[in-house]
Amino acid sequence: MTQAEPARSWDLPLWQSLLPLGRSDAGGYRRFSFTEADSQCRDWFFGAAADRGLRTETDRNGNLWAWWDPPAAGLPAGHRDGPESSPDGTGVVVTGSHLDSVPDGGAFDGPLGVVSALAAIDLLREAGVAPVRPVGVVAFAEEEGARFGMACLGSRLLTGAVTPDAARALADADGVTLAEAMAEAGLDPEAIGPDPGLVSRIGAFVELHVEQGSALAGMDAAVGVAESIWPHGRWRIDFAGRADHAGTTRLADRRDPMLPYAATVLAARTVATELGSLATFGRVVAEPGAANAIGSAVHAWLDARAPDEETLKELVSQVTAVAELSGNGHGVTVTSRCESLTPSVDFDLELRDRVVAALAGQGVDAPVLPTGAGHDAGVLAAGLPTAMLFVRNRTGVSHSPAEHADPEDCEAGVVALAAVLEELACR
Ligand code: GLV
Ligand code: MN
Ligand code: MN
């Protein structure tokens, strides 16, 4: 493509075909890893890849791959274990995102990157452009950590950021372990683990994602480029008290775990405000959950994000200190542990410059933005050059059915991604 080509309408059959899968009653999506909805999404991915004649595989960690090979490259013997290197040794180019969702998540978070990747390949092919090095489209498993608690699990396993033993032992809310869920889905949990060979063959990873804030909504720009990701993580805090009768237990005699939990939620807000950071309790489980009984325990999850790692540490330490202090005052035992941690990410400057230049070549002046949202690109950034494109979200809302991107902006995203893939993989 030499000039900004208009993409076909975003009323793409491909996008439409994904929309019904895993839809929840709340109007969002419940596409949890290794469930029936996830299996439908996996079938959708392989169907879309097959329609395009792309070579496909599921890696040992349950991540899905589809490969667009250079026409003359052929497939060397044994390619089934992974992509061949690019002929000139610069590495293959990978794009994509994830298909899993948070509970009642929006349609765009993740799937927009996967659909746009396939649509960008369509666009390049229609323009008669062919790759000179393989282009991979990936859908990473369990990016949201909505089922097993650890965000970006598929990319962490691939890169060795989590050990196979630790991953296998992760359990969902019903106590089903990752190992059991993978086996149930027909995958081999004993095979999970890092694949340095595959990672070392990737020269660049570019993830397109719906913007999860409103920076672009206030600008005359449908597409932005990522600069950095705030360090962030999840901590599980357990408050163990004593179950008792709500009508007969004097207030002074109670060991009510709900009280230190409530104090901790309020403290998280105060401390985050003071430190210019973000702290959220979005998931809480009260046991045994009777309306007429003091709870025996409260399990709560703190999502904390900050502009730098020092501040993040300070934020979490202040919040957990309040939890413990308040727990002591109420006879409640408090324990906390980190479930996942992503250090601060600065995306590769050289790759970002190439992405910005490729967009400028299409007449697109893309703003460069930091973000507080986590992504597989952030995990891969520790080991290889990565970049991200953000597509404007008019509502600025994400992790909610209200998440939205206009069709024209989705189209602009495909055109932008196609320009980037052409620059990275086709010359
Ligand atoms: C992923 O979307 C995250 O930032 O939690
Ligand atoms: Mn998300
Ligand atoms: Mn996402």
Side-chain angles (χ1 to χ4, degrees), residues 60-61 157-160 162-164 168 189-196:
R60 327 205 297 257
N61 298 306
L157 277 167
L158 174 68
T159 55
V162 59
T163 65
R168 274 189 286 265
E190 290 311 312
I192 64 174
D195 190 340

Side-chain angles (χ1 to χ4, degrees), residues 1 68 93-95 120 123-124 129 133 135 204-208 223-225 351-362 364 366 386-390 412-427:
M1 296 193 311
W68 182 30
V93 175
V94 177
T95 183
L123 202 58
L124 289 168
V129 177
R133 51 194 72 86
V135 174
F205 175 62
V206 181
E207 179 171 359
L208 178 147
V223 176
V225 175
L351 180 60
R352 190 178 95 197
D353 286 347
R354 282 183 78 186
V355 167
V356 169
L359 300 187
Q362 298 287 308
V364 176
T386 64
M388 289 191 75
L389 297 178
F390 291 134
V414 173
V415 174
L417 183 60
V420 171
L421 294 181
E422 182 175 9
E423 160 65 21
L424 300 179
C426 305
R427 3 186 109 114

Side-chain angles (χ1 to χ4, degrees), residues 97-98 100 108-111 143-144 207-210 212 373-376 388 398-399 403:
S97 190
H98 61 97
D100 64 312
F108 299 86
D109 176 357
E143 190 271 354
E144 300 287 7
E207 179 171 359
L208 178 147
H209 204 280
V210 68
Q212 296 181 280
H375 300 285
D376 293 304
M388 289 191 75
S398 187
H399 285 181
E403 179 183 272

